[in-house]
Amino acid sequence: MPPMNRREAVKAATAMIGGVLITSNGFLIACSRDSTKPAGKVLTLDDQSLIEEIADTLLPTTPSSPGAKAAGAGAAINLLLSDCYEPDAQERVVSGLDEFRTMCRKRCGDNFASLPQKEREQVLREIDAQAQKAGPTHYFGLVRELSLRAYFSSEIGMTKALRYVMVPGKWVGCVPLKPGQPAWA
């Protein structure tokens, strides 16, 4: 094989780069991910904001502590659901959120986030009553559990809602709480 001259090397390199550029668009489109769903997560951004609104209704802001939305419960719930729960539980939550969304639109004529606080609480009480009758197969028990886990494992939940002491003193098994005093973390 004779040695390649500069002109042939430039032609070969141009052809190779041109081929890569022409075909890369198809590869990039095929490999693109759904922009509505964070990478590696179960919930879409819309589902994540809905579950955060539900968590914020369950754990609202009070004078003594911020609510679930301030604690960033939506992203934490998405992480917990994606990394720590089985696929059947993940599917149950996703389909339950779709069912919840359509129920809110039928019943209230609007989405859950735009409802006043009293109506939100009433909707969640009704869903909770249905969940109590349906048992552990209903999605709402799992949504409530995820909300509590996400909130009370956050910095806000541990330090503002609970009494967190980084280095506690001696262990005392039974400590009476005064009225309004938060529980220990």
Side-chain angles (χ1 to χ4, degrees):
M1 179 177 199
M4 187 183 280
N5 64 24
R6 191 176 352 167
R7 183 172 287 161
E8 290 173 4
V10 169
K11 282 182 186 178
T14 303
M16 186 173 72
I17 291 173
V20 168
L21 289 175
I22 289 171
T23 60
S24 69
N25 188 27
F27 288 125
L28 293 176
I29 290 172
C31 295
S32 67
R33 61 185 168 98
D34 185 10
S35 62
T36 62
K37 189 181 277 192
K41 302 296 182 230
V42 173
L43 300 177
T44 63
L45 295 176
D46 192 34
D47 287 342
Q48 182 175 313
S49 69
L50 176 61
I51 207 165
E52 188 171 60
E53 291 293 337
I54 292 170
D56 198 54
T57 305
L58 293 170
L59 298 159
T61 299
T62 63
S64 61
S65 65
K69 192 184 280 189
I77 289 171
N78 203 355
L79 179 71
L80 282 170
L81 188 62
S82 299
D83 292 350
C84 303
Y85 285 83
E86 296 294 324
D88 61 326
Q90 295 171 353
E91 192 174 308
R92 191 171 27 148
V93 169
V94 171
S95 64
L97 288 176
D98 290 338
E99 177 186 322
F100 182 80
R101 193 176 281 119
T102 57
M103 187 273 306
C104 281
R105 286 194 182 119
K106 279 183 190 175
R107 183 179 178 271
C108 306
D110 211 351
N111 60 4
F112 185 73
S114 62
L115 295 175
Q117 184 70 18
K118 293 288 183 191
E119 275 190 64
R120 284 180 176 196
E121 292 171 3
Q122 183 60 35
V123 167
L124 291 184
R125 280 189 188 100
E126 290 173 12
I127 296 290
D128 187 44
Q130 292 174 8
Q132 296 295 327
K133 289 178 187 172
T137 58
H138 200 273
Y139 71 93
F140 190 70
L142 191 54
V143 168
R144 186 180 332 120
E145 175 186 329
L146 285 164
S147 300
L148 291 171
R149 286 179 190 246
Y151 181 71
F152 287 110
S153 64
S154 71
E155 182 179 352
I156 287 175
M158 285 190 160
T159 58
K160 304 275 195 259
L162 299 174
R163 289 187 66 189
Y164 177 76
V165 179
M166 188 181 292
V167 182
K170 66 179 182 163
W171 183 77
V172 180
C174 186
V175 177
L177 295 177
K178 297 176 185 128
Q181 179 183 0
W184 291 88

